[in-house]
Amino acid sequence: MHAARWLFIASLCAGLLMPMAVSAESLQAGAPAPDFALRDGQGKQRSLADWRGRWLVLYFYPKDDTPGCTVEAQAFRDSLQRFTALDADVVGVSLDDAASHQSFAASQRLSFPLLVDAGGKVARAYGALTNLGIAKFAKRHTFLIDPTGRIAKTYRDVEPATHAAEILADLQAFKRD
């Protein structure tokens, strides 16, 4: 009887996770970036259209103030002038609330927006949502979006310490082309 129960649970989990994998795969280079309307840590409404005409690094991360997320945010913070010089903006997205984002941004001196995706709707649209039933969080995925609102590149295997440098190199290559 235990084997049947575990088989049921495993098939249920596979069913929950499979649609997200299909969604993530559909966001290949050249595809339109899914639109969004989210509030940042200060309560300001932000949408994809706010960055039209500029490159956008839209990065999803699991949780404010955790080791990997802090390292990744610091790397983006430390490279922000280089992104700006390439006409690019950086925006972080997680399922944390505005108060958590405010605290995280203040403690790490982050000057780029952190968007609140409380229900995970935008993370789901980008194939970056992990939904374990009792817990939801964003996967560490990043999307480089071109000035016309199309996906230029997706990053699904992210190393927090080197990710900002990787995107900068790719952005420089896109700008040369």
Side-chain angles (χ1 to χ4, degrees):
M1 185 55 112
H2 286 316
R5 186 179 315 156
W6 283 112
L7 182 59
F8 171 75
I9 291 170
S11 64
L12 180 62
C13 289
L16 289 174
L17 297 176
M18 194 176 314
M20 289 180 285
V22 172
S23 176
E25 293 303 317
S26 67
L27 291 177
Q28 299 299 322
D35 198 9
F36 59 84
L38 297 173
R39 297 208 179 277
D40 64 19
Q42 284 66 46
K44 181 178 179 183
Q45 184 81 11
R46 305 290 189 121
S47 70
L48 181 61
D50 294 343
W51 288 280
R52 187 66 52 135
R54 293 185 56 81
W55 289 85
L56 177 63
V57 177
L58 186 68
Y59 85 97
F60 291 85
Y61 65 98
K63 188 104 180 95
D64 291 336
D65 287 314
T66 56
C69 297
T70 299
V71 166
E72 186 176 25
Q74 290 170 341
F76 281 123
R77 175 200 66 203
D78 295 346
S79 301
L80 202 54
Q81 287 182 341
R82 293 178 64 202
F83 280 107
T84 301
L86 292 168
D87 298 318
D89 293 306
V90 174
V91 175
V93 181
S94 80
L95 280 63
D96 293 312
D97 63 24
S100 178
H101 281 346
Q102 286 176 347
S103 174
F104 184 48
S107 71
Q108 299 305 317
R109 299 178 327 279
L110 305 178
S111 58
F112 54 85
L114 300 177
L115 304 182
V116 177
D117 187 17
K121 182 179 178 182
V122 174
R124 181 178 293 112
Y126 279 84
L129 180 68
T130 295
N131 184 352
L132 302 176
I134 59 171
K136 288 183 193 178
F137 57 91
K139 297 176 187 176
R140 196 178 307 281
H141 290 342
T142 300
F143 299 86
L144 181 58
I145 301 171
D146 75 16
T148 68
R150 296 197 165 279
I151 303 289
K153 186 165 183 178
T154 61
Y155 304 83
R156 293 191 185 93
D157 295 317
V158 173
E159 177 57 45
T162 58
H163 189 47
E166 174 186 22
I167 296 171
L168 279 167
D170 289 340
L171 188 54
Q172 288 170 333
F174 280 120
K175 299 277 286 185
R176 280 193 299 266
D177 290 344

